[in-house]
């Protein structure tokens, strides 16, 4: 397995107790709001220390490593672009150790690939939702991470942009050959992107597998979460 | 009804504004009717020396507040720890202590027999360092609280992302936290500098000499009366306003170029 996580974390009344593993590929972690998905990602990124457990990436135990030593790319919800830096500097932020010419080349190359080369001089405030997401992706990818973590990457864009971006995410994973762990509450994203889907409820990974298998799950919580009623709620949410 | 409400709001607000502006404007305006006295004060090197001392001492005090207060502000904005409320209370303490009392307390510590004054190679009583510590004592809460507000207003996820991009905590502080709170830090520094200039009570206890502007004005008022104190007061008002407005504009410019969302 490429990534193995066993983590316990207590945050106020919330308790995360997750056992998770994934192969190289595109894995979607699906769960309702408040299930603990973001906390789980932050544990993998090294932002939150688990109370107990371990994180193993590519066979190496990275549990005690700080975020800057993990080589894990992280795109948080709403992208967290540095507002005081233009797009070029945002993307290049993680490349300060790279020699200037090489840095310049890599920033421009990735900007080209993600279709944001014309935005390099702009500040994040002057970008659309979709453009912001591309910049955040470029910033995370340019450091050539071993793993890419995406926290609700499509929640802040309109439906049409969403379609375009989903295609791009799939392209990114193939082209950069980077394993992706994508967190969402949206079944549609799981259906269209995931090689594998894991379902997280109340701080626990309940089940994992192909989405179509999950639909036949005997686990009541999972089948309830994936139920038609829930699907309709999602649809109405989108229509809103 | 809405009109009445607006009128009441406007009327009550203008009372406060008038209350602030009237004494200041009057003091300045009166100089035109007594222009000779004003010119005499304005051409008196002693007056300028005193004003320079005041500005200089307040500047040093502000620099100290920035160097030592910024890390404290960051800690208070970012971390929660047992006793945090107590620490915040300590920072605010100078605000509630009468300034003459603060001066006495500083004199006890920095005076020639005090814990610090006894061993320090620097003399505080009736010396510039004494003025600086008095100004620092009363102005540091203003700076720390402003800077704290600045750091608290930054989305922590920006700092988290910066970490995942290979930056150590100290580099994150320098490249993300500091530039994003620079407006608060500058505003805090200006306010703390202005507070330092206006301090009288604490300074006069620990360092009557070298004289600062508020002390000089007070002395002239006591020894020669209102008419002697007024020109110096007017000069100080005009100068302070000019510096204050200039700095505000400077920070305001920053504001425009940095405003993002």
């Amino acid at each position: 397995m490429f990534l193995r996580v066993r983590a316990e974390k207590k945050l106020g009344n919330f308790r995360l107790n997750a056992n998770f593993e994934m192969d190289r590929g595109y894995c979607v972690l699906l769960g309702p709001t408040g299930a603990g998905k973001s906390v789980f990602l932050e544990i993998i990124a090294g932002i939150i220390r688990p109370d107990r457990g371990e994180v193993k990436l590519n066979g190496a135990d990275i549990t005690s490593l700080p975020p800057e030593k993990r080589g894990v790319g992280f795109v948080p919800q709403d992208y967290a672009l540095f507002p005081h830096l233009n797009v070029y500097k945002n993307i290049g932020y993680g490349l300060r150790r790279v020699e200037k010419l090489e840095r310049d080349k890599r920033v421009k190359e990735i900007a080209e690939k993600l279709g944001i080369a014309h935005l390099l001089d702009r500040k994040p405030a002057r970008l659309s939702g979709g453009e912001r997401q591309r910049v955040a992706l470029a910033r995370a990818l340019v450091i050539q991470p071993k793993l890419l973590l995406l926290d609700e990457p499509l929640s802040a864009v309109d439906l049409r942009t969403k379609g375009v971006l989903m295609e791009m995410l799939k392209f990114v994973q193939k082209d950069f050959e980077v394993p992706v762990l994508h967190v969402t509450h949206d079944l549609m994203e799981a259906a269209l992107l995931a090689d594998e889907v894991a379902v997280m409820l109340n701080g626990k990974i309940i089940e994992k597998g192909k989405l179509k298998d999950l639909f036949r799950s005997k686990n009541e919580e999972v089948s309830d979460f994936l139920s038609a009623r829930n699907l309709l709620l999602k649809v109405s949410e989108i229509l809103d | 009804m809405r009109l009445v409400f607006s009128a009441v709001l406007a009327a009550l607000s203008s009372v406060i504004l008038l209350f602030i502006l009237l004494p200041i404007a009057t003091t300045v305006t009166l100089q035109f009717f007594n222009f000779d006295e004003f010119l005499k004060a304005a051409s008196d090197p002693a007056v300028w020396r005193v004003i320079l001392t005041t500005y200089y001492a307040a500047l040093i005090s502000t620099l100290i507040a920035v160097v030592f207060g910024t890390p404290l502000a960051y800690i208070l904005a970012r971390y929660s720890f047992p006793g945090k409320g107590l620490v915040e209370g300590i920072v605010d303490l100078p605000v509630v202590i009468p300034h003459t009392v603060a001066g006495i307390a500083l004199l006890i510590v920095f005076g020639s027999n005090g814990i610090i004054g006894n061993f320090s190679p620097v003399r505080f009583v009736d010396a510039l360092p004494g003025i600086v510590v008095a100004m620092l004592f009363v102005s540091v809460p203003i700076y720390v609280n402003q800077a704290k507000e600045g750091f608290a207003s930054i989305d922590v996820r920006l700092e988290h992302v910066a970490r995942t991009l290979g930056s150590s905590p100290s580099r994150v502080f320098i490249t993300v936290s500091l530039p994003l709170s620079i407006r608060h830090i500058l505003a805090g520094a200006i306010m703390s500098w202005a507070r330092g200039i206006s301090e009288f009570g604490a300074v006069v206890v620990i360092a009557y000499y070298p004289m600062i502007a508020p002390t000089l004005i007070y002395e002239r008022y006591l020894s020669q009366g209102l008419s002697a104190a007024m020109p110096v007061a007017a000069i100080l008002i005009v100068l302070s306003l000019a510096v204050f407005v200039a700095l505000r504009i400077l920070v305001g410019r920053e504001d425009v170029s940095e405003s993002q969302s």
Side-chain angles (χ1 to χ4, degrees), chain B residues 16-90:
Chain B
I16 290 292
L17 292 179
L18 268 179
F19 175 70
I20 295 172
L21 284 176
L22 195 63
I24 295 175
T26 314
T27 309
V28 175
T29 323
L30 278 180
Q31 301 316 306
F32 292 109
F33 301 100
N34 199 355
F35 209 62
D36 289 345
E37 281 293 313
F38 181 75
L39 278 183
K40 214 175 101 194
S43 54
D44 181 354
V47 169
W48 288 103
R49 205 166 42 241
V50 163
I51 288 175
L52 270 180
T53 307
T54 314
Y55 283 13
Y56 180 61
L59 180 68
I60 295 174
S61 134
T62 302
L63 289 178
I64 296 173
V66 171
V67 170
F68 292 91
T70 310
L72 177 60
Y74 188 69
I75 291 171
L76 289 176
R78 271 297 173 263
Y79 303 106
S80 50
F81 49 88
K84 185 177 174 183
L86 183 70
V87 174
E88 286 173 326
I90 293 173

Coordinates of all heavy atoms in Angstrom, one line a residue, chain B residues 16-90:
Chain B
I16 N -19.7 64.9 20.4 CA -18.4 64.3 20.6 C -17.3 65.0 19.8 O -16.3 65.3 20.3 CB -18.5 62.8 20.4 CG1 -19.3 62.1 21.4 CG2 -17.0 62.2 20.4 CD1 -18.7 62.1 22.8
L17 N -17.6 65.1 18.5 CA -16.6 65.6 17.6 C -16.3 67.1 17.9 O -15.1 67.4 17.9 CB -17.1 65.6 16.1 CG -17.3 64.1 15.6 CD1 -17.8 64.2 14.1 CD2 -15.9 63.4 15.6
L18 N -17.3 67.9 18.2 CA -17.1 69.3 18.7 C -16.2 69.3 19.9 O -15.3 70.1 20.1 CB -18.4 70.0 18.9 CG -18.9 70.7 17.7 CD1 -20.3 71.3 18.0 CD2 -17.9 71.8 17.2
F19 N -16.6 68.4 20.9 CA -15.9 68.3 22.1 C -14.4 68.1 21.9 O -13.6 68.7 22.6 CB -16.5 67.2 23.0 CG -15.8 67.0 24.3 CD1 -15.9 67.9 25.3 CD2 -15.0 65.8 24.5 CE1 -15.2 67.7 26.5 CE2 -14.4 65.6 25.7 CZ -14.5 66.6 26.7
I20 N -14.1 67.3 20.9 CA -12.6 67.0 20.6 C -12.0 68.2 19.9 O -10.9 68.7 20.2 CB -12.5 65.7 19.8 CG1 -13.0 64.5 20.6 CG2 -11.0 65.5 19.4 CD1 -13.0 63.2 19.8
L21 N -12.7 68.7 18.9 CA -12.1 69.7 18.0 C -12.1 71.1 18.6 O -11.1 71.8 18.3 CB -12.9 69.7 16.7 CG -12.6 68.5 15.7 CD1 -13.5 68.6 14.5 CD2 -11.2 68.5 15.3
L22 N -13.1 71.5 19.4 CA -13.1 72.8 19.9 C -11.9 73.3 20.6 O -11.3 74.3 20.2 CB -14.4 73.0 20.7 CG -14.8 74.5 20.9 CD1 -15.1 75.2 19.6 CD2 -16.0 74.6 21.9
P23 N -11.5 72.5 21.6 CA -10.3 73.0 22.4 C -9.0 73.0 21.5 O -8.2 74.0 21.6 CB -10.1 71.9 23.4 CG -11.4 71.2 23.5 CD -12.0 71.3 22.2
I24 N -8.9 72.0 20.6 CA -7.7 72.0 19.7 C -7.7 73.1 18.8 O -6.7 73.9 18.6 CB -7.6 70.6 19.0 CG1 -7.5 69.5 20.0 CG2 -6.5 70.6 18.0 CD1 -7.5 68.1 19.4
A25 N -8.8 73.3 18.1 CA -8.9 74.4 17.1 C -8.8 75.8 17.8 O -8.1 76.7 17.2 CB -10.3 74.3 16.4
T26 N -9.4 75.9 18.9 CA -9.3 77.2 19.6 C -7.8 77.5 20.0 O -7.3 78.7 19.7 CB -10.1 77.2 20.9 OG1 -11.4 76.6 20.6 CG2 -10.3 78.6 21.5
T27 N -7.1 76.6 20.5 CA -5.7 76.8 20.9 C -4.9 77.2 19.7 O -4.1 78.2 19.8 CB -5.1 75.5 21.5 OG1 -6.0 75.0 22.5 CG2 -3.7 75.7 22.1
V28 N -5.1 76.6 18.6 CA -4.3 76.9 17.4 C -4.8 78.3 16.8 O -3.9 79.1 16.5 CB -4.5 75.8 16.3 CG1 -3.8 76.3 15.0 CG2 -4.0 74.5 16.8
T29 N -6.1 78.5 16.8 CA -6.6 79.8 16.2 C -6.1 81.0 17.0 O -5.8 82.0 16.5 CB -8.1 79.8 16.2 OG1 -8.5 78.5 15.9 CG2 -8.6 80.7 15.1
L30 N -6.1 80.8 18.3 CA -5.7 82.0 19.2 C -4.3 82.5 18.9 O -4.0 83.7 19.2 CB -5.9 81.6 20.7 CG -7.3 81.6 21.3 CD1 -7.2 81.2 22.7 CD2 -7.8 83.1 21.1
Q31 N -3.5 81.6 18.3 CA -2.1 82.0 18.0 C -2.1 83.2 17.0 O -1.2 84.0 17.0 CB -1.3 80.9 17.5 CG -1.2 79.7 18.5 CD -0.9 80.1 19.9 OE1 0.0 80.9 20.2 NE2 -1.8 79.7 20.8
F32 N -3.1 83.2 16.2 CA -3.1 84.3 15.1 C -3.3 85.6 15.7 O -2.9 86.7 15.2 CB -4.2 84.0 14.1 CG -3.9 82.7 13.3 CD1 -4.6 81.6 13.4 CD2 -2.8 82.8 12.3 CE1 -4.3 80.4 12.7 CE2 -2.5 81.7 11.6 CZ -3.3 80.5 11.8
F33 N -3.9 85.6 16.9 CA -4.2 86.9 17.6 C -3.0 87.3 18.5 O -3.0 88.4 19.0 CB -5.5 86.9 18.4 CG -6.7 86.5 17.5 CD1 -7.2 85.3 17.4 CD2 -7.3 87.5 16.7 CE1 -8.2 85.0 16.6 CE2 -8.3 87.2 15.9 CZ -8.8 85.9 15.8
N34 N -2.1 86.4 18.6 CA -1.0 86.7 19.5 C 0.3 86.2 18.8 O 1.1 85.4 19.3 CB -1.2 85.9 20.8 CG -0.4 86.5 21.9 OD1 0.5 87.4 21.7 ND2 -0.5 85.9 23.1
F35 N 0.4 86.7 17.5 CA 1.4 86.0 16.6 C 2.8 86.2 17.1 O 3.7 85.4 16.9 CB 1.2 86.6 15.2 CG 1.6 85.6 14.2 CD1 0.9 84.3 14.1 CD2 2.6 85.9 13.3 CE1 1.3 83.4 13.1 CE2 3.0 84.9 12.4 CZ 2.4 83.7 12.3
D36 N 3.1 87.4 17.8 CA 4.4 87.6 18.2 C 4.9 86.6 19.2 O 6.0 86.1 19.1 CB 4.5 89.0 18.9 CG 4.4 90.1 17.8 OD1 4.5 89.8 16.6 OD2 4.1 91.3 18.2
E37 N 4.0 86.3 20.2 CA 4.4 85.3 21.2 C 4.6 83.9 20.5 O 5.6 83.2 20.8 CB 3.3 85.1 22.2 CG 3.2 86.2 23.2 CD 4.5 86.1 24.1 OE1 4.8 85.0 24.6 OE2 5.1 87.1 24.4
F38 N 3.8 83.6 19.5 CA 3.9 82.4 18.8 C 5.2 82.3 18.0 O 5.9 81.3 18.1 CB 2.7 82.3 17.8 CG 2.7 81.0 17.0 CD1 2.4 79.8 17.6 CD2 3.1 80.9 15.7 CE1 2.4 78.6 16.9 CE2 3.2 79.7 15.0 CZ 2.8 78.6 15.6
L39 N 5.6 83.4 17.3 CA 6.8 83.4 16.6 C 8.0 83.3 17.6 O 9.0 82.6 17.3 CB 7.0 84.7 15.8 CG 6.2 84.7 14.5 CD1 6.5 86.1 13.7 CD2 6.7 83.6 13.6
K40 N 7.9 83.9 18.7 CA 9.0 83.8 19.7 C 9.2 82.4 20.1 O 10.3 81.9 20.2 CB 8.6 84.7 20.9 CG 9.8 85.3 21.6 CD 9.4 86.3 22.7 CE 9.7 85.6 24.0 NZ 9.0 86.3 25.1
A41 N 8.1 81.7 20.4 CA 8.2 80.3 20.8 C 8.7 79.4 19.7 O 9.6 78.6 19.9 CB 6.8 79.8 21.3
A42 N 8.2 79.8 18.5 CA 8.6 78.9 17.3 C 10.1 79.1 16.9 O 10.7 78.3 16.3 CB 7.7 79.2 16.1
S43 N 10.7 80.3 17.3 CA 12.1 80.5 17.0 C 13.0 80.2 18.2 O 14.2 80.5 18.2 CB 12.3 81.9 16.5 OG 11.8 82.8 17.4
D44 N 12.4 79.7 19.2 CA 13.2 79.3 20.4 C 13.8 78.0 20.3 O 13.1 77.0 20.3 CB 12.3 79.4 21.7 CG 13.0 79.1 23.0 OD1 14.2 78.8 22.9 OD2 12.4 79.2 24.0
P45 N 15.2 77.9 20.2 CA 15.8 76.6 20.0 C 15.5 75.6 21.1 O 15.4 74.4 20.9 CB 17.3 76.9 20.0 CG 17.4 78.4 20.0 CD 16.1 79.0 20.3
A46 N 15.3 76.1 22.3 CA 15.0 75.3 23.5 C 13.7 74.5 23.2 O 13.6 73.3 23.5 CB 14.9 76.1 24.8
V47 N 12.7 75.2 22.6 CA 11.4 74.5 22.4 C 11.6 73.4 21.4 O 11.1 72.3 21.6 CB 10.4 75.5 21.8 CG1 9.2 74.8 21.2 CG2 10.0 76.6 22.9
W48 N 12.4 73.7 20.4 CA 12.6 72.6 19.3 C 13.4 71.4 19.9 O 13.2 70.3 19.5 CB 13.3 73.2 18.1 CG 12.3 74.1 17.4 CD1 12.3 75.4 17.4 CD2 11.2 73.6 16.6 NE1 11.2 75.8 16.6 CE2 10.6 74.8 16.1 CE3 10.7 72.4 16.2 CZ2 9.4 74.7 15.3 CZ3 9.6 72.3 15.4 CH2 9.0 73.5 15.0
R49 N 14.4 71.8 20.7 CA 15.2 70.7 21.4 C 14.2 69.8 22.1 O 14.3 68.5 22.0 CB 16.3 71.3 22.3 CG 17.4 70.4 22.4 CD 18.7 71.1 23.0 NE 18.4 72.0 24.1 CZ 18.6 73.3 24.1 NH1 19.2 73.8 23.0 NH2 18.3 74.0 25.1
V50 N 13.4 70.4 22.9 CA 12.4 69.6 23.7 C 11.5 68.7 22.8 O 11.3 67.6 23.1 CB 11.6 70.6 24.6 CG1 10.4 69.9 25.1 CG2 12.5 71.1 25.7
I51 N 11.0 69.3 21.7 CA 10.2 68.6 20.9 C 10.9 67.4 20.2 O 10.4 66.3 20.2 CB 9.6 69.5 19.8 CG1 8.5 70.4 20.4 CG2 8.9 68.7 18.6 CD1 8.0 71.5 19.5
L52 N 12.1 67.7 19.8 CA 12.9 66.6 19.2 C 13.2 65.5 20.2 O 13.1 64.3 19.9 CB 14.3 67.1 18.7 CG 14.3 67.6 17.3 CD1 15.7 68.1 16.9 CD2 13.9 66.5 16.4
T53 N 13.5 65.8 21.5 CA 13.7 64.8 22.5 C 12.4 64.0 22.6 O 12.5 62.7 22.7 CB 14.0 65.5 23.9 OG1 15.0 66.4 23.7 CG2 14.3 64.5 24.9
T54 N 11.3 64.6 22.6 CA 10.0 63.9 22.8 C 9.8 62.9 21.7 O 9.5 61.7 21.9 CB 8.8 64.9 22.7 OG1 9.1 66.0 23.6 CG2 7.6 64.3 23.2
Y55 N 10.0 63.4 20.4 CA 9.8 62.5 19.3 C 10.8 61.4 19.3 O 10.5 60.2 18.9 CB 9.9 63.3 18.0 CG 8.7 64.1 17.7 CD1 7.7 64.3 18.6 CD2 8.5 64.7 16.4 CE1 6.6 65.1 18.4 CE2 7.3 65.5 16.1 CZ 6.4 65.7 17.1 OH 5.3 66.4 16.9
Y56 N 12.0 61.7 19.6 CA 13.1 60.7 19.6 C 12.8 59.6 20.6 O 12.9 58.4 20.3 CB 14.4 61.4 19.8 CG 15.6 60.6 19.8 CD1 16.0 59.8 18.7 CD2 16.4 60.4 21.0 CE1 17.1 59.0 18.7 CE2 17.6 59.6 21.0 CZ 17.9 58.9 19.9 OH 19.0 58.1 19.9
A57 N 12.5 60.0 21.8 CA 12.2 59.1 22.9 C 11.0 58.2 22.5 O 11.1 56.9 22.7 CB 12.0 59.8 24.2
A58 N 10.0 58.8 22.0 CA 8.8 58.0 21.6 C 9.2 57.0 20.5 O 8.6 55.9 20.4 CB 7.7 58.9 21.1
L59 N 10.1 57.4 19.6 CA 10.5 56.6 18.5 C 11.2 55.3 19.0 O 10.9 54.2 18.6 CB 11.4 57.3 17.5 CG 11.9 56.5 16.3 CD1 10.7 56.2 15.4 CD2 12.9 57.3 15.5
I60 N 12.2 55.6 20.0 CA 12.9 54.4 20.5 C 11.9 53.5 21.3 O 12.0 52.3 21.1 CB 14.0 54.9 21.5 CG1 15.0 55.7 20.7 CG2 14.7 53.8 22.2 CD1 16.1 56.4 21.6
S61 N 11.0 54.1 22.0 CA 10.1 53.3 22.8 C 9.2 52.5 21.8 O 9.0 51.3 22.1 CB 9.2 54.2 23.7 OG 7.9 53.9 23.6
T62 N 8.8 53.1 20.7 CA 8.0 52.3 19.7 C 8.8 51.2 19.1 O 8.3 50.1 18.9 CB 7.5 53.3 18.6 OG1 6.8 54.3 19.2 CG2 6.7 52.5 17.6
L63 N 10.1 51.4 18.8 CA 10.9 50.4 18.2 C 11.1 49.2 19.2 O 11.0 48.0 18.8 CB 12.3 50.9 17.8 CG 12.3 51.9 16.6 CD1 13.7 52.4 16.4 CD2 11.8 51.1 15.4
I64 N 11.3 49.5 20.5 CA 11.3 48.5 21.5 C 10.0 47.7 21.5 O 10.0 46.4 21.5 CB 11.7 49.0 22.9 CG1 13.1 49.7 22.8 CG2 11.6 47.9 23.9 CD1 13.4 50.4 24.1
A65 N 8.9 48.4 21.5 CA 7.6 47.8 21.5 C 7.4 46.8 20.3 O 6.9 45.7 20.5 CB 6.5 48.8 21.5
V66 N 7.9 47.3 19.1 CA 7.8 46.4 17.9 C 8.6 45.2 18.0 O 8.2 44.1 17.8 CB 8.1 47.2 16.7 CG1 8.2 46.3 15.5 CG2 7.1 48.3 16.4
V67 N 9.9 45.4 18.5 CA 10.8 44.2 18.5 C 10.3 43.2 19.5 O 10.3 42.0 19.2 CB 12.2 44.7 18.8 CG1 13.1 43.5 19.1 CG2 12.8 45.5 17.7
F68 N 10.0 43.6 20.7 CA 9.6 42.7 21.8 C 8.1 42.4 21.8 O 7.7 41.3 22.2 CB 10.0 43.2 23.1 CG 11.5 43.2 23.3 CD1 12.2 44.4 23.0 CD2 12.2 42.1 23.8 CE1 13.6 44.4 23.1 CE2 13.6 42.1 23.9 CZ 14.3 43.3 23.6
G69 N 7.3 43.3 21.3 CA 5.9 43.1 21.3 C 5.3 42.2 20.2 O 4.3 41.6 20.4
T70 N 6.0 42.2 19.1 CA 5.5 41.5 17.9 C 5.4 40.0 18.2 O 4.4 39.3 18.0 CB 6.3 41.8 16.7 OG1 6.4 43.2 16.5 CG2 5.6 41.2 15.4
P71 N 6.5 39.4 18.7 CA 6.4 37.9 19.0 C 5.3 37.6 20.1 O 4.6 36.7 19.9 CB 7.8 37.6 19.6 CG 8.7 38.7 19.1 CD 7.8 39.9 19.0
L72 N 5.2 38.5 21.1 CA 4.2 38.3 22.1 C 2.8 38.4 21.4 O 1.9 37.5 21.7 CB 4.3 39.4 23.2 CG 3.2 39.4 24.3 CD1 3.2 38.0 25.0 CD2 3.4 40.5 25.3
A73 N 2.6 39.3 20.6 CA 1.3 39.5 19.9 C 1.0 38.2 19.0 O -0.1 37.7 19.0 CB 1.3 40.7 19.0
Y74 N 2.0 37.7 18.4 CA 1.9 36.5 17.6 C 1.4 35.3 18.4 O 0.5 34.5 18.1 CB 3.1 36.2 16.8 CG 3.0 35.1 15.8 CD1 2.2 35.3 14.7 CD2 3.6 33.8 16.0 CE1 2.1 34.2 13.7 CE2 3.4 32.8 15.1 CZ 2.7 33.0 13.9 OH 2.5 32.0 13.0
I75 N 2.1 35.1 19.6 CA 1.8 34.0 20.5 C 0.4 34.1 20.9 O -0.4 33.2 20.9 CB 2.8 34.0 21.7 CG1 4.2 33.7 21.3 CG2 2.3 33.1 22.8 CD1 5.2 33.8 22.3
L76 N 0.0 35.4 21.3 CA -1.4 35.6 21.8 C -2.4 35.3 20.8 O -3.6 34.9 21.1 CB -1.5 37.0 22.4 CG -0.8 37.2 23.7 CD1 -0.9 38.7 24.2 CD2 -1.3 36.3 24.8
A77 N -2.1 35.6 19.5 CA -3.1 35.4 18.4 C -3.2 34.0 18.0 O -4.2 33.5 17.6 CB -2.7 36.3 17.2
R78 N -2.1 33.3 18.1 CA -2.0 31.9 17.5 C -2.2 30.8 18.4 O -2.7 29.7 18.0 CB -0.7 31.8 16.7 CG -0.7 32.2 15.3 CD -1.7 31.4 14.4 NE -1.8 32.0 13.1 CZ -2.8 32.9 12.8 NH1 -3.7 33.2 13.6 NH2 -2.8 33.4 11.6
Y79 N -1.7 30.9 19.6 CA -1.7 29.7 20.5 C -2.6 29.9 21.7 O -2.8 31.0 22.2 CB -0.3 29.5 21.0 CG 0.7 29.3 19.9 CD1 1.7 30.3 19.6 CD2 0.8 28.1 19.1 CE1 2.6 30.2 18.6 CE2 1.7 28.0 18.1 CZ 2.6 29.0 17.8 OH 3.5 28.9 16.8
S80 N -3.2 28.8 22.1 CA -3.9 28.8 23.4 C -3.1 28.0 24.4 O -2.6 26.9 24.0 CB -5.4 28.3 23.2 OG -5.4 27.1 22.5
F81 N -3.0 28.5 25.5 CA -2.2 27.8 26.6 C -2.8 28.2 27.9 O -3.5 29.2 28.1 CB -0.8 28.2 26.5 CG -0.5 29.7 26.4 CD1 -0.4 30.5 27.6 CD2 -0.5 30.4 25.2 CE1 -0.2 31.8 27.5 CE2 -0.3 31.7 25.1 CZ -0.2 32.5 26.3
P82 N -2.5 27.4 28.9 CA -3.0 27.7 30.3 C -2.5 29.0 30.7 O -1.3 29.3 30.5 CB -2.5 26.6 31.1 CG -2.0 25.5 30.3 CD -1.7 26.1 28.9
G83 N -3.3 29.9 31.2 CA -2.9 31.2 31.7 C -2.8 32.2 30.7 O -2.3 33.3 30.9
K84 N -3.4 32.0 29.5 CA -3.4 33.0 28.4 C -4.1 34.2 28.9 O -3.7 35.4 28.6 CB -4.0 32.4 27.2 CG -3.9 33.3 26.0 CD -4.5 32.6 24.8 CE -4.5 33.6 23.6 NZ -5.1 33.0 22.4
G85 N -5.3 34.0 29.5 CA -6.1 35.2 30.0 C -5.3 36.1 30.9 O -5.3 37.3 30.9
L86 N -4.5 35.4 31.8 CA -3.6 36.1 32.7 C -2.6 37.0 31.9 O -2.4 38.2 32.2 CB -2.9 35.2 33.6 CG -2.0 35.8 34.7 CD1 -2.9 36.5 35.8 CD2 -1.1 34.7 35.3
V87 N -2.0 36.4 30.9 CA -1.0 37.1 30.1 C -1.6 38.3 29.4 O -1.1 39.4 29.4 CB -0.3 36.1 29.1 CG1 0.6 36.9 28.1 CG2 0.4 35.0 29.8
E88 N -2.8 38.1 28.9 CA -3.5 39.2 28.2 C -3.8 40.3 29.2 O -3.7 41.5 28.9 CB -4.8 38.7 27.5 CG -4.5 37.9 26.3 CD -5.7 37.2 25.7 OE1 -6.6 36.8 26.4 OE2 -5.7 37.1 24.4
G89 N -4.2 39.9 30.4 CA -4.4 40.8 31.5 C -3.2 41.7 31.8 O -3.3 42.9 32.0
I90 N -2.1 41.0 31.9 CA -0.8 41.7 32.2 C -0.5 42.7 31.1 O -0.1 43.9 31.4 CB 0.4 40.7 32.3 CG1 0.2 39.8 33.5 CG2 1.7 41.4 32.4 CD1 1.2 38.6 33.6

